Amino acid sequence: MKLSGVVLAVGFTGLVMAQSGAPVVNVAQAQQGNESVQQRLDRIERLLEARTQGQASMMEQLGRLQREVSELRGISEEQAYQLDQIVQRQRDIYQELDRVSQQVRSGGAVSGAATSGGSGSSAAIDAPSLPVTLSDNVGENEAYDRAVRLVLQDRRYDQAIPEFQAFLSNYPNSSYAGNAHYWLGQLFYAQEEYDQAIPHFQRVVRDFPDSNKRADCILKLGMIAQARGNVSEARRFFEQVRSEYAGSTEAGMAGRQLEQLR
C-alpha cells in the first residue's frame, strides 16, 4: 500500500505540473504567432489528446504495479504462514523433549531403553531440551523433525540412526548438528554400541561448548568407561562433570557414580 501511494503521488504531481505549465507556453506562442481561432483549437485538441493518452498509460502502469504489489503481498503471507507452521512444529517437538527429559530426570525410563553392563544404571534415551536456533531452510527443518519424530513419537530407534546420519551428511553446519550428534550418541549408547556412541559424545563435548547436553555427554563417556572397567578414566570424566557443572543434575549423577567406584 505504501508503494501504491508513492506512485500515485508522483503521478498526480506530474499531471498537475503538466496542466499548470503547458497552457502558458502555448498561449504565449499563440499570441506571438497571431494564431487563428481554428489553429488554437487544433493545438488545444492535440494537447488534450496527448494528455489523455499519457493519463491512460499512467493508469495502466499504476494498475500493473498494484497487481504486482498484491501478488507480493500474497507471497509474503504464504511464507509467513509456512514459517508459523515450522515454528509450531518445533514448539511441539521441544515440549515433547522437555516432557521426556523431565521423566528421565525424575527417575522414569523412556520406552526402548537398554541397561548398560557393569554400571548398574539405565541407558535411557534422554532428550535434549535446548531450543536451538531455527533454520531458514525448510528442507533442513523437516529432515531434523523427521529424525526426532522417529525417536519421540514412533520409538523406531533403528530407523532414527540412519536418519540422523543422513541429516548430518546433508547439513553438516546445521544449527541442529550438536543435537543430532547427541541423539546418535544416545541411540548407540542405549544399544550398548559404545564404539559408535563415543565419537558423537566427544564431538558435542569438543565442538559445542554451549550445548546444555555437554555435561550429559561427559557423564555418558564416564559411564561407558565404567561399564568397560576403566576405573581411572571413568573417575576423570565424573570429576570433570562435577568440576565444570557443579550443582547440576548431571553433577549429582556423577557423584553417585563416583561412590560406586570406591
Side-chain angles (χ1 to χ4, degrees):
M1 295 301 294
K2 292 183 178 179
L3 176 60
S4 300
V6 172
V7 173
L8 288 172
V10 173
F12 289 136
T13 301
L15 289 174
V16 172
M17 293 177 64
Q19 290 173 352
S20 62
V24 175
V25 174
N26 289 315
V27 170
Q29 291 176 347
Q31 291 176 346
Q32 292 176 1
N34 296 320
E35 291 179 323
S36 65
V37 173
Q38 185 61 44
Q39 289 174 328
R40 293 180 184 179
L41 289 174
D42 290 342
R43 181 185 297 277
I44 291 173
E45 288 178 356
R46 290 194 297 272
L47 288 172
L48 289 175
E49 182 178 358
R51 185 171 300 163
T52 300
Q53 292 177 350
Q55 290 175 342
S57 177
M58 183 174 298
M59 292 304 296
E60 182 180 355
Q61 293 177 2
L62 286 174
R64 184 168 59 252
L65 287 172
Q66 288 175 339
R67 289 193 296 273
E68 292 177 355
V69 169
S70 297
E71 292 175 358
L72 290 173
R73 183 181 296 112
I75 293 173
S76 176
E77 291 175 353
E78 182 179 357
Q79 291 178 338
Y81 174 77
Q82 292 177 348
L83 181 59
D84 287 341
Q85 291 296 101
I86 292 173
V87 171
Q88 183 59 48
R89 286 200 303 271
Q90 291 292 332
R91 185 179 296 114
D92 293 341
I93 287 174
Y94 290 127
Q95 287 175 351
E96 179 67 11
L97 293 177
D98 287 337
R99 185 191 67 78
V100 176
S101 181
Q102 289 297 326
Q103 180 181 352
V104 172
R105 292 182 179 181
S106 63
V110 181
S111 175
T115 303
S116 69
S119 66
S121 60
S122 175
I125 298 180
D126 199 1
S129 57
L130 175 65
V132 297
T133 303
L134 294 179
S135 171
D136 295 330
N137 187 322
V138 175
E140 179 181 344
N141 286 317
E142 291 179 347
Y144 181 74
D145 289 354
R146 184 168 58 251
V148 172
R149 195 178 302 114
L150 286 171
V151 177
L152 296 181
Q153 297 181 12
D154 302 335
R155 302 293 193 265
R156 292 152 63 184
Y157 303 142
D158 290 339
Q159 294 184 26
I161 289 175
E163 283 289 340
F164 279 114
Q165 291 173 330
F167 175 81
L168 288 172
S169 177
N170 293 329
Y171 307 101
N173 298 319
S174 170
S175 58
Y176 310 132
N179 274 8
H181 280 292
Y182 176 80
W183 276 117
L184 282 169
Q186 287 287 71
L187 289 165
F188 284 126
Y189 177 79
Q191 297 177 5
E192 300 186 12
E193 297 182 14
Y194 299 143
D195 287 338
Q196 297 188 63
I198 288 173
H200 293 290
F201 288 140
Q202 290 176 333
R203 183 70 179 273
V204 176
V205 174
R206 182 182 68 248
D207 296 342
F208 301 93
D210 296 328
S211 172
N212 76 330
K213 305 311 295 183
R214 184 174 181 272
D216 189 53
C217 288
I218 301 172
L219 178 67
K220 288 299 182 354
L221 289 172
M223 294 173 72
I224 291 174
Q226 183 179 8
R228 289 178 163 179
N230 193 333
V231 176
S232 61
E233 185 177 48
R235 180 176 287 107
R236 178 172 62 83
F237 283 124
F238 295 146
E239 289 177 347
Q240 181 180 357
V241 175
R242 297 183 68 185
S243 173
E244 296 183 13
Y245 299 94
S248 67
T249 300
E250 290 79 8
M253 295 174 66
R256 289 191 291 272
Q257 296 301 120
L258 281 171
E259 292 177 359
Q260 295 181 16
L261 297 178
R262 295 175 181 173

